[in-house]
Amino acid sequence: MSGLFTGRKYLITGVLNEESIAWHVAAALQTQGADVVLTSFGRALRVTRKAAALLPSPADVLELDMTDDTHFQAVAEEA
């Protein structure tokens, strides 16, 4: 797939369902060739994983709690 964002990777937060702005941003980026990785944490993590599976290309979901410094390191290593 080629497009405006081919070869770029984006980290997106806030995806909870197909109606969220973040989900539509992720879908649009994928449509233009970008790789996207989603983040979530806690109880919302399961919901985000379900929404990620509904994107044009299923996306990885990483756990990222902004109040936990160890999560930043783990996300940096994954990205």
Side-chain angles (χ1 to χ4, degrees):
M1 181 183 328
S2 71
L4 186 60
F5 298 107
T6 300
R8 296 181 182 194
K9 192 171 198 174
Y10 291 86
L11 185 72
I12 299 176
T13 64
V15 173
L16 290 177
N17 58 46
E18 283 182 277
E19 296 178 14
S20 69
I21 292 170
W23 188 92
H24 285 279
V25 168
L29 285 167
Q30 284 185 338
T31 300
Q32 289 299 314
D35 290 325
V36 299
V37 176
L38 310 181
T39 65
S40 188
F41 74 99
R43 290 185 285 177
L45 187 60
R46 181 176 57 87
V47 175
T48 300
R49 286 189 174 128
K50 286 183 180 181
L54 299 174
L55 287 166
S57 297
D60 290 335
V61 179
L62 304 177
E63 186 169 17
L64 177 59
D65 179 348
M66 301 296 277
T67 64
D68 187 339
D69 290 339
T70 62
H71 285 201
F72 284 109
Q73 184 174 354
V75 167
E77 289 172 7
E78 284 288 324

